[in-house]
Coordinates of all heavy atoms in Angstrom, one line a residue:
M5 N 104.1 112.3 87.4 CA 105.5 112.4 87.2 C 106.2 111.2 87.8 O 106.0 110.8 88.9 CB 106.1 113.6 87.8 CG 107.6 113.8 87.6 SD 108.1 115.5 87.8 CE 108.2 115.6 89.6
S6 N 106.9 110.4 86.9 CA 107.6 109.2 87.4 C 108.8 108.9 86.6 O 108.8 109.0 85.4 CB 106.6 108.0 87.4 OG 107.1 106.9 88.0
G7 N 109.9 108.5 87.3 CA 111.1 108.2 86.6 C 112.0 107.2 87.4 O 111.6 106.7 88.5
T8 N 113.2 107.0 86.9 CA 114.1 106.1 87.6 C 115.3 107.0 87.9 O 115.8 107.7 87.1 CB 114.6 105.0 86.7 OG1 113.4 104.4 86.1 CG2 115.3 103.9 87.5
F9 N 115.8 106.9 89.2 CA 116.8 107.8 89.6 C 118.0 107.0 90.1 O 117.8 106.0 90.8 CB 116.4 108.7 90.7 CG 115.2 109.6 90.3 CD1 113.9 109.2 90.5 CD2 115.4 110.9 89.8 CE1 112.8 110.0 90.2 CE2 114.4 111.7 89.4 CZ 113.1 111.3 89.6
T10 N 119.2 107.4 89.9 CA 120.4 106.9 90.6 C 120.5 107.6 91.9 O 119.9 108.6 92.1 CB 121.7 107.1 89.8 OG1 121.9 108.6 89.8 CG2 121.6 106.6 88.4
A11 N 121.2 106.9 92.9 CA 121.3 107.5 94.2 C 122.0 108.9 94.1 O 121.7 109.8 94.8 CB 122.2 106.6 95.1
K12 N 122.9 109.0 93.1 CA 123.6 110.3 92.9 C 122.6 111.4 92.5 O 122.6 112.5 92.9 CB 124.7 110.1 91.8 CG 125.5 111.3 91.6 CD 126.7 110.9 90.7 CE 127.5 112.2 90.4 NZ 126.9 113.0 89.3
E13 N 121.7 111.0 91.6 CA 120.7 112.0 91.1 C 119.8 112.4 92.3 O 119.4 113.6 92.4 CB 119.8 111.4 90.0 CG 120.5 111.4 88.7 CD 119.9 110.5 87.6 OE1 119.1 109.6 88.0 OE2 120.2 110.7 86.4
V14 N 119.4 111.5 93.1 CA 118.6 111.8 94.3 C 119.3 112.7 95.2 O 118.8 113.7 95.7 CB 118.2 110.5 95.0 CG1 117.4 110.9 96.3 CG2 117.3 109.6 94.2
A15 N 120.6 112.5 95.4 CA 121.5 113.3 96.3 C 121.5 114.7 95.8 O 121.8 115.6 96.6 CB 122.8 112.6 96.4
E16 N 121.4 114.9 94.5 CA 121.4 116.3 94.0 C 120.1 117.1 94.4 O 120.2 118.3 94.4 CB 121.6 116.3 92.5 CG 123.0 115.9 92.1 CD 123.1 115.5 90.6 OE1 122.1 115.5 89.9 OE2 124.2 115.1 90.3
H17 N 119.1 116.4 94.7 CA 117.8 117.1 95.1 C 117.7 117.1 96.7 O 116.9 116.4 97.2 CB 116.6 116.3 94.5 CG 116.6 116.4 93.0 ND1 116.0 117.4 92.3 CD2 117.2 115.6 92.1 CE1 116.1 117.2 91.0 NE2 116.9 116.1 90.9
N18 N 118.6 117.8 97.3 CA 118.7 117.7 98.8 C 118.2 118.9 99.5 O 118.4 119.1 100.7 CB 120.1 117.3 99.2 CG 121.1 118.4 98.8 OD1 120.8 119.3 98.0 ND2 122.3 118.4 99.3
T19 N 117.6 119.8 98.7 CA 117.0 121.0 99.4 C 115.6 121.2 98.9 O 115.1 120.7 97.9 CB 117.8 122.3 99.0 OG1 117.6 122.6 97.6 CG2 119.3 122.2 99.3
V20 N 114.8 122.0 99.7 CA 113.4 122.3 99.3 C 113.4 123.0 98.0 O 112.4 122.7 97.2 CB 112.8 123.2 100.4 CG1 111.4 123.7 100.0 CG2 112.6 122.5 101.7
D21 N 114.4 123.8 97.6 CA 114.4 124.5 96.4 C 114.5 123.6 95.1 O 114.0 123.9 94.1 CB 115.5 125.5 96.3 CG 115.1 126.8 97.1 OD1 113.9 126.9 97.4 OD2 116.1 127.5 97.4
N22 N 115.1 122.4 95.3 CA 115.2 121.5 94.2 C 114.5 120.2 94.4 O 114.8 119.2 93.8 CB 116.6 121.3 93.7 CG 117.5 120.7 94.8 OD1 117.1 120.0 95.7 ND2 118.8 120.9 94.6
G23 N 113.5 120.2 95.2 CA 112.5 119.1 95.3 C 112.6 118.3 96.6 O 111.6 117.6 96.9
L24 N 113.7 118.4 97.3 CA 113.9 117.6 98.5 C 113.4 116.1 98.4 O 112.4 115.7 98.9 CB 113.1 118.2 99.7 CG 113.6 117.8 101.1 CD1 115.0 118.3 101.4 CD2 112.7 118.3 102.2
Y25 N 114.3 115.4 97.6 CA 114.0 114.0 97.4 C 114.4 113.1 98.6 O 115.5 113.4 99.1 CB 114.7 113.5 96.1 CG 114.1 114.0 94.8 CD1 113.2 115.0 94.8 CD2 114.5 113.4 93.6 CE1 112.7 115.4 93.6 CE2 114.0 113.8 92.4 CZ 113.1 114.9 92.4 OH 112.6 115.3 91.2
I26 N 113.6 112.1 98.9 CA 114.1 111.2 99.9 C 113.8 109.7 99.3 O 112.8 109.6 98.6 CB 113.6 111.3 101.3 CG1 112.1 111.2 101.3 CG2 114.0 112.7 101.9 CD1 111.5 111.1 102.7
I27 N 114.6 108.8 99.7 CA 114.5 107.4 99.3 C 113.9 106.7 100.5 O 114.4 106.8 101.6 CB 115.8 106.8 98.9 CG1 116.4 107.5 97.7 CG2 115.6 105.3 98.7 CD1 117.9 107.2 97.5
I28 N 112.8 105.9 100.2 CA 112.3 105.0 101.2 C 112.1 103.7 100.5 O 111.4 103.6 99.5 CB 110.9 105.5 101.8 CG1 111.0 106.8 102.5 CG2 110.4 104.4 102.8 CD1 109.7 107.5 102.8
D29 N 112.8 102.7 101.0 CA 113.0 101.4 100.3 C 113.5 101.7 98.8 O 114.5 102.4 98.7 CB 111.7 100.6 100.3 CG 111.4 100.3 101.8 OD1 112.3 100.2 102.6 OD2 110.2 100.1 102.1
N30 N 112.8 101.2 97.8 CA 113.3 101.5 96.5 C 112.6 102.6 95.8 O 112.7 102.8 94.6 CB 113.2 100.2 95.6 CG 114.4 99.4 95.8 OD1 115.5 99.9 96.1 ND2 114.2 98.1 95.7
N31 N 111.8 103.4 96.6 CA 111.0 104.5 96.0 C 111.6 105.9 96.3 O 112.2 106.0 97.4 CB 109.6 104.4 96.4 CG 109.0 103.1 96.0 OD1 109.0 102.7 94.8 ND2 108.4 102.3 96.9
V32 N 111.3 106.8 95.4 CA 111.8 108.2 95.6 C 110.7 109.1 95.7 O 109.7 109.1 94.9 CB 112.7 108.6 94.4 CG1 113.2 110.0 94.5 CG2 113.9 107.6 94.1
Y33 N 110.7 109.9 96.8 CA 109.6 110.8 97.1 C 110.2 112.3 97.1 O 111.3 112.5 97.5 CB 109.0 110.5 98.5 CG 108.5 109.2 98.6 CD1 109.3 108.1 98.9 CD2 107.1 108.9 98.3 CE1 108.8 106.8 99.0 CE2 106.6 107.6 98.4 CZ 107.4 106.6 98.7 OH 106.9 105.3 98.8
S34 N 109.4 113.2 96.5 CA 109.7 114.6 96.6 C 108.9 115.2 97.7 O 107.6 115.3 97.5 CB 109.5 115.2 95.2 OG 109.7 116.6 95.4
V35 N 109.5 115.6 98.7 CA 108.7 116.1 99.9 C 108.8 117.6 100.1 O 108.3 118.1 101.1 CB 109.1 115.3 101.2 CG1 108.8 113.9 101.1 CG2 110.6 115.5 101.5
A36 N 109.2 118.3 99.1 CA 109.3 119.8 99.2 C 108.0 120.4 99.5 O 107.9 121.3 100.3 CB 109.9 120.4 97.9
S37 N 106.9 119.9 98.8 CA 105.6 120.5 99.0 C 105.0 120.1 100.3 O 103.9 120.6 100.8 CB 104.7 120.1 97.9 OG 104.5 118.7 97.9
F38 N 105.6 119.1 101.0 CA 105.0 118.5 102.2 C 105.7 118.9 103.5 O 105.1 118.7 104.6 CB 105.1 117.0 102.0 CG 104.6 116.1 103.1 CD1 103.2 116.1 103.4 CD2 105.5 115.3 103.9 CE1 102.8 115.3 104.5 CE2 105.0 114.6 104.9 CZ 103.6 114.6 105.2
V39 N 106.9 119.4 103.4 CA 107.7 119.7 104.6 C 106.9 120.5 105.6 O 107.0 120.2 106.8 CB 109.1 120.4 104.4 CG1 110.2 119.4 104.0 CG2 109.0 121.5 103.4
D40 N 106.3 121.5 105.2 CA 105.6 122.4 106.1 C 104.4 121.8 106.8 O 103.9 122.3 107.8 CB 105.2 123.7 105.4 CG 106.5 124.5 105.2 OD1 107.5 124.4 105.9 OD2 106.4 125.4 104.2
E41 N 103.8 120.7 106.2 CA 102.7 120.1 106.8 C 103.0 118.7 107.4 O 102.2 118.0 108.0 CB 101.5 119.9 105.8 CG 101.9 119.1 104.5 CD 100.8 119.0 103.5 OE1 100.0 118.1 103.6 OE2 100.7 119.9 102.6
H42 N 104.3 118.4 107.4 CA 104.8 117.1 108.0 C 104.5 117.1 109.5 O 105.1 118.0 110.2 CB 106.2 116.8 107.7 CG 106.8 115.6 108.3 ND1 108.0 115.5 109.0 CD2 106.3 114.3 108.3 CE1 108.2 114.2 109.3 NE2 107.1 113.5 109.0
P43 N 103.7 116.2 110.0 CA 103.4 116.2 111.5 C 104.7 116.0 112.3 O 104.7 116.4 113.5 CB 102.5 115.0 111.6 CG 101.9 114.8 110.3 CD 103.0 115.1 109.3
G44 N 105.7 115.4 111.8 CA 107.0 115.2 112.5 C 107.9 116.4 112.4 O 109.0 116.4 112.9
G45 N 107.5 117.4 111.7 CA 108.2 118.7 111.6 C 109.0 118.7 110.3 O 109.3 117.7 109.7
S46 N 109.4 119.9 109.9 CA 110.1 120.2 108.6 C 111.6 119.9 108.8 O 112.3 119.4 107.9 CB 109.9 121.6 108.1 OG 110.4 122.5 109.0
K47 N 112.1 120.2 110.0 CA 113.6 120.1 110.2 C 114.1 118.6 110.0 O 115.1 118.4 109.3 CB 113.8 120.4 111.7 CG 115.1 121.2 111.9 CD 115.1 121.8 113.3 CE 116.5 121.8 113.8 NZ 116.5 122.3 115.3
I48 N 113.4 117.7 110.5 CA 113.8 116.3 110.4 C 113.8 115.8 109.0 O 114.6 115.0 108.5 CB 112.9 115.4 111.3 CG1 113.6 114.1 111.6 CG2 111.5 115.2 110.8 CD1 112.9 113.3 112.8
L49 N 112.8 116.3 108.2 CA 112.7 115.9 106.8 C 113.8 116.6 106.0 O 114.4 115.9 105.1 CB 111.4 116.3 106.2 CG 110.2 115.3 106.2 CD1 109.1 115.9 105.4 CD2 110.6 114.0 105.7
K50 N 114.1 117.8 106.2 CA 115.2 118.5 105.5 C 116.5 117.9 105.8 O 117.4 117.8 104.9 CB 115.2 120.0 106.0 CG 114.1 120.8 105.4 CD 114.1 122.2 105.9 CE 112.9 123.0 105.5 NZ 112.7 124.3 106.2
R51 N 116.7 117.3 107.0 CA 118.0 116.7 107.3 C 118.3 115.5 106.5 O 119.4 115.1 106.3 CB 117.9 116.3 108.8 CG 119.3 116.5 109.5 CD 119.2 116.1 110.9 NE 118.4 117.0 111.7 CZ 117.6 116.7 112.8 NH1 117.5 115.4 113.1 NH2 117.0 117.6 113.4
V52 N 117.2 114.8 106.0 CA 117.4 113.6 105.2 C 117.2 113.8 103.7 O 117.2 112.8 102.9 CB 116.5 112.4 105.7 CG1 116.9 111.9 107.1 CG2 115.1 112.7 105.6
G53 N 117.1 115.0 103.3 CA 117.0 115.4 101.9 C 118.1 114.8 101.1 O 119.3 115.0 101.4
G54 N 117.8 114.1 100.0 CA 118.8 113.6 99.1 C 119.3 112.2 99.5 O 120.2 111.6 98.9
K55 N 118.8 111.7 100.7 CA 119.3 110.5 101.2 C 118.3 109.3 101.3 O 117.1 109.6 101.1 CB 119.8 110.8 102.7 CG 120.9 111.7 102.7 CD 121.4 111.9 104.2 CE 122.4 113.1 104.3 NZ 122.4 113.6 105.7
D56 N 118.8 108.2 101.6 CA 117.9 107.0 101.9 C 117.5 107.2 103.4 O 118.3 107.1 104.3 CB 118.7 105.7 101.7 CG 117.8 104.5 101.8 OD1 116.8 104.6 102.7 OD2 118.0 103.6 101.1
A57 N 116.2 107.4 103.6 CA 115.7 107.6 104.9 C 114.8 106.4 105.4 O 114.0 106.6 106.3 CB 114.9 108.9 105.0
S58 N 115.0 105.3 104.7 CA 114.1 104.1 105.0 C 114.1 103.8 106.5 O 113.1 103.6 107.1 CB 114.6 102.9 104.3 OG 114.7 103.2 102.9
K59 N 115.3 103.7 107.1 CA 115.5 103.3 108.5 C 114.7 104.3 109.4 O 113.9 103.8 110.3 CB 116.9 103.3 108.9 CG 117.3 102.1 109.7 CD 118.8 102.0 109.8 CE 119.2 102.0 111.3 NZ 120.7 102.1 111.4
Q60 N 114.9 105.6 109.2 CA 114.2 106.6 110.0 C 112.7 106.5 109.7 O 111.9 106.6 110.7 CB 114.7 108.0 109.7 CG 116.1 108.2 110.0 CD 117.0 108.0 108.8 OE1 116.8 107.1 108.0 NE2 118.0 108.9 108.6
F61 N 112.3 106.3 108.5 CA 110.9 106.3 108.1 C 110.2 105.2 108.9 O 109.1 105.4 109.5 CB 110.7 106.2 106.6 CG 109.2 106.2 106.3 CD1 108.6 107.4 106.1 CD2 108.5 105.0 106.1 CE1 107.2 107.5 105.8 CE2 107.1 105.0 105.9 CZ 106.5 106.3 105.7
W62 N 110.7 104.0 108.8 CA 110.0 102.8 109.4 C 110.0 102.9 110.9 O 109.3 102.2 111.6 CB 110.6 101.5 108.8 CG 110.2 101.4 107.4 CD1 111.1 101.3 106.4 CD2 108.9 101.3 106.8 NE1 110.4 101.1 105.2 CE2 109.1 101.2 105.4 CE3 107.6 101.3 107.3 CZ2 108.0 101.1 104.5 CZ3 106.5 101.2 106.4 CH2 106.7 101.1 105.1
K63 N 110.9 103.7 111.5 CA 110.9 103.8 112.9 C 109.7 104.6 113.4 O 109.2 104.4 114.5 CB 112.2 104.6 113.3 CG 112.5 104.6 114.7 CD 113.9 105.2 114.9 CE 114.1 105.6 116.4 NZ 115.3 106.5 116.5
Y64 N 109.2 105.5 112.6 CA 108.1 106.4 113.0 C 106.8 106.2 112.3 O 105.8 106.9 112.7 CB 108.5 107.9 112.8 CG 109.8 108.3 113.6 CD1 110.9 108.6 113.0 CD2 109.7 108.3 115.0 CE1 112.1 109.0 113.7 CE2 110.8 108.7 115.7 CZ 112.0 109.1 115.1 OH 113.1 109.5 115.8
H65 N 106.8 105.5 111.2 CA 105.5 105.4 110.4 C 105.2 103.9 110.1 O 106.1 103.1 110.2 CB 105.6 106.1 109.1 CG 106.3 107.5 109.2 ND1 107.6 107.6 109.3 CD2 105.7 108.7 109.2 CE1 107.9 108.9 109.4 NE2 106.8 109.6 109.3
N66 N 104.0 103.7 109.6 CA 103.7 102.4 109.0 C 103.3 102.5 107.6 O 103.2 103.6 107.0 CB 102.7 101.7 109.9 CG 101.4 102.5 110.1 OD1 101.0 103.1 109.1 ND2 100.9 102.6 111.3
E67 N 103.0 101.3 107.0 CA 102.6 101.2 105.6 C 101.5 102.2 105.2 O 101.4 102.7 104.1 CB 102.2 99.8 105.3 CG 102.1 99.5 103.8 CD 103.4 99.5 103.1 OE1 104.4 99.0 103.5 OE2 103.3 100.2 102.0
S68 N 100.5 102.4 106.1 CA 99.4 103.2 105.8 C 99.8 104.7 105.4 O 99.1 105.3 104.6 CB 98.3 103.2 106.9 OG 98.9 103.9 108.0
V69 N 100.9 105.2 106.0 CA 101.3 106.5 105.7 C 101.8 106.6 104.2 O 101.4 107.5 103.5 CB 102.5 106.9 106.6 CG1 103.1 108.3 106.2 CG2 102.0 107.0 108.1
L70 N 102.5 105.6 103.8 CA 103.0 105.6 102.4 C 101.8 105.4 101.5 O 101.7 106.1 100.4 CB 103.9 104.4 102.2 CG 105.4 104.6 102.6 CD1 106.2 103.5 102.1 CD2 105.9 105.9 102.1
K71 N 100.8 104.6 101.8 CA 99.6 104.4 101.0 C 98.9 105.7 100.8 O 98.5 106.0 99.7 CB 98.7 103.4 101.6 CG 99.0 101.9 101.3 CD 97.7 101.1 101.3 CE 98.1 99.6 101.2 NZ 98.2 99.0 102.5
K72 N 98.8 106.4 101.9 CA 98.1 107.7 101.8 C 98.8 108.8 101.0 O 98.2 109.5 100.3 CB 97.9 108.2 103.3 CG 97.0 109.4 103.3 CD 96.6 109.8 104.7 CE 95.9 111.2 104.8 NZ 95.9 111.7 106.1
Y73 N 100.1 108.8 101.1 CA 100.9 110.0 100.5 C 101.6 109.6 99.2 O 102.1 110.6 98.5 CB 101.9 110.5 101.5 CG 101.2 111.3 102.6 CD1 100.9 110.6 103.8 CD2 100.8 112.6 102.5 CE1 100.3 111.3 104.9 CE2 100.2 113.3 103.5 CZ 99.9 112.6 104.7 OH 99.3 113.3 105.7
S74 N 101.7 108.4 98.8 CA 102.4 108.0 97.6 C 102.0 108.7 96.4 O 102.8 109.3 95.6 CB 102.3 106.5 97.4 OG 103.4 105.9 98.0
E75 N 100.7 108.7 96.2 CA 100.2 109.3 94.9 C 100.6 110.8 94.8 O 101.0 111.3 93.7 CB 98.6 109.3 95.0 CG 98.0 109.4 93.6 CD 96.5 109.4 93.7 OE1 96.0 108.6 94.5 OE2 95.9 110.1 92.9
K76 N 100.7 111.5 95.9 CA 101.0 112.9 95.9 C 102.5 113.1 95.9 O 103.0 114.1 95.2 CB 100.4 113.5 97.2 CG 100.5 115.0 97.3 CD 99.9 115.5 98.6 CE 100.5 116.9 99.0 NZ 100.3 117.2 100.4
L77 N 103.3 112.3 96.5 CA 104.7 112.6 96.7 C 105.7 111.7 95.9 O 106.8 112.1 95.7 CB 105.1 112.5 98.2 CG 104.2 113.3 99.2 CD1 104.7 113.1 100.6 CD2 104.4 114.8 98.9
K78 N 105.3 110.6 95.5 CA 106.2 109.7 94.8 C 106.6 110.2 93.4 O 105.7 110.6 92.7 CB 105.7 108.3 94.7 CG 106.7 107.2 94.2 CD 106.1 105.8 94.2 CE 106.9 104.9 93.4 NZ 106.4 103.6 93.3
V79 N 107.9 110.3 93.1 CA 108.3 110.8 91.8 C 109.0 109.7 91.0 O 109.3 109.8 89.8 CB 109.2 112.0 91.9 CG1 108.5 113.2 92.4 CG2 110.4 111.7 92.8
G80 N 109.3 108.5 91.6 CA 109.9 107.4 90.8 C 110.5 106.4 91.7 O 110.2 106.3 92.9
T81 N 111.4 105.6 91.1 CA 112.0 104.5 91.8 C 113.5 104.7 91.7 O 114.0 105.4 90.8 CB 111.6 103.1 91.3 OG1 111.8 103.1 89.9 CG2 110.1 102.9 91.5
L82 N 114.2 103.9 92.6 CA 115.7 104.0 92.6 C 116.2 102.9 91.7 O 115.8 101.8 91.6 CB 116.1 103.7 94.0 CG 117.6 103.9 94.3 CD1 117.9 105.4 94.2 CD2 117.9 103.4 95.7
K83 N 117.2 103.3 90.9 CA 117.9 102.4 90.0 C 118.6 101.3 90.9 O 119.5 101.7 91.7 CB 118.9 103.1 89.1 CG 118.5 103.1 87.7 CD 119.6 103.8 86.8 CE 118.9 104.4 85.6 NZ 119.8 105.4 85.0
E84 N 118.2 100.1 90.7 CA 118.7 99.0 91.6 C 120.2 99.0 91.7 O 120.8 99.0 92.8 CB 118.2 97.7 91.0 CG 118.2 96.6 92.0 CD 117.4 96.9 93.3 OE1 116.2 97.3 93.2 OE2 117.9 96.8 94.4
E85 N 120.9 99.0 90.6 CA 122.4 98.9 90.7 C 123.1 100.1 91.3 O 124.3 100.0 91.6 CB 123.0 98.6 89.3 CG 122.9 99.8 88.3 CD 121.6 99.8 87.5 OE1 120.6 99.3 88.1 OE2 121.6 100.3 86.4
A86 N 122.4 101.2 91.4 CA 123.0 102.4 92.0 C 122.8 102.5 93.5 O 123.1 103.5 94.1 CB 122.4 103.6 91.2
K87 N 122.1 101.5 94.0 CA 121.8 101.6 95.5 C 123.1 101.7 96.3 O 124.1 101.0 96.0 CB 121.1 100.4 95.9 CG 119.8 100.7 96.6 CD 119.1 99.5 97.0 CE 118.4 99.7 98.4 NZ 117.8 98.5 98.8
L88 N 123.1 102.6 97.3 CA 124.3 102.7 98.1 C 124.4 101.6 99.1 O 123.4 101.1 99.6 CB 124.3 104.1 98.9 CG 124.4 105.3 98.0 CD1 124.2 106.5 98.8 CD2 125.7 105.4 97.2
Ligands
LIG26 C1 107.3 110.4 102.4 C2 107.8 110.8 103.5 C3 107.0 111.0 104.8 C4 105.7 111.1 105.0 C5 104.6 111.1 104.0 C6 105.5 111.3 106.4 C7 104.3 111.5 107.1 C8 104.1 111.5 108.4 C9 102.8 111.5 109.1 C10 101.4 111.4 108.4 C11 103.0 111.6 110.4 C12 102.0 111.6 111.5 C13 102.0 110.3 112.2 C14 101.4 109.2 111.5 O1 100.3 109.4 110.9 O2 101.9 108.1 111.5 C15 104.4 111.7 110.6 C16 105.1 111.8 111.8 C17 106.4 111.8 112.0 N1 107.4 111.6 111.0 FE1 107.1 111.5 109.1 N2 106.7 111.3 107.1 C18 107.7 111.1 106.1 C19 109.0 111.0 106.3 C20 109.7 111.1 107.5 C21 111.1 110.9 107.7 C22 112.1 110.6 106.6 C23 111.3 111.1 109.0 C24 112.6 111.0 109.8 C25 113.8 111.3 109.3 C26 110.1 111.3 109.7 C27 109.8 111.5 111.0 C28 108.6 111.7 111.6 C29 108.5 111.8 113.1 C30 109.6 111.9 114.1 C31 107.1 111.9 113.3 C32 106.4 112.1 114.6 C33 106.1 110.8 115.3 C34 105.4 111.0 116.6 O3 105.2 112.2 117.0 O4 105.0 110.0 117.1 N3 109.1 111.3 108.7 N4 105.1 111.6 109.4

C-alpha cells in the first residue's frame, strides 16, 4: 500500500482506530499495528498521531530503525506543497 498524502489527510489519521499515521521527513508511516510493540512505548507514539514527528524520531532513533521497519509501516509520502 502506497500513496501521496497531504498534511491534512495525515492529520485525519490520528488515532489507532484510523491508522495512526505519522510523518518522518517526507514519508508517512501507519503505526497502528506497531504501537503495542514499540520499545519506546505506545503512549509517546499515540501523542504524535497525525503529526510530523521527525524531530522526536531523530532524537531517539537512527537510520537503521527506518530501514528495518519501512517495509512494514510505510504507507506513502507527503505531498511536498502541503508540508506544514
Ligand atoms: C515509524 C516510527 C517508529 C519506529 C519504527 C520506532 C521504533 C523504535 C525502536 C525499534 C526502538 C528501540 C530502540 C532502537 O532500536 O533504536 C524505539 C525506541 C524509542 N522510540 Fe521509537 N519508533 C518510532 C517512532 C517514534 C516516535 C515518533 C517517537 C517519539 C515521539 C519515539 C520514541 C521512542 C523512544 C523514547 C524510545 C526509547 C529510547 C530509549 O529507551 O533509549 N519513537 N523506537
Side-chain angles (χ1 to χ4, degrees):
M5 182 160 77
S6 187
T8 313
F9 301 90
T10 63
K12 186 171 173 281
E13 285 165 340
V14 174
E16 285 161 4
H17 296 266
N18 62 346
T19 67
V20 171
D21 283 344
N22 61 23
L24 200 68
Y25 287 12
I26 63 171
I27 297 165
I28 301 170
D29 298 336
N30 276 330
N31 298 310
V32 181
Y33 301 86
S34 172
V35 295
S37 63
F38 178 69
V39 275
D40 290 334
E41 55 182 274
H42 180 226
S46 62
K47 215 167 148 187
I48 198 165
L49 269 190
K50 287 176 187 169
R51 214 180 293 143
V52 294
K55 296 181 190 158
D56 189 323
S58 306
K59 224 170 123 185
Q60 296 95 320
F61 182 84
W62 292 118
K63 192 170 161 194
Y64 299 114
H65 318 77
N66 55 43
E67 191 66 46
S68 68
V69 173
L70 279 189
K71 275 210 187 92
K72 184 172 172 195
Y73 289 95
S74 268
E75 202 183 321
K76 188 180 157 200
L77 304 177
K78 189 175 162 183
V79 289
T81 54
L82 190 65
K83 248 183 210 163
E84 203 53 55
E85 70 269 30
K87 234 180 141 182
L88 292 176

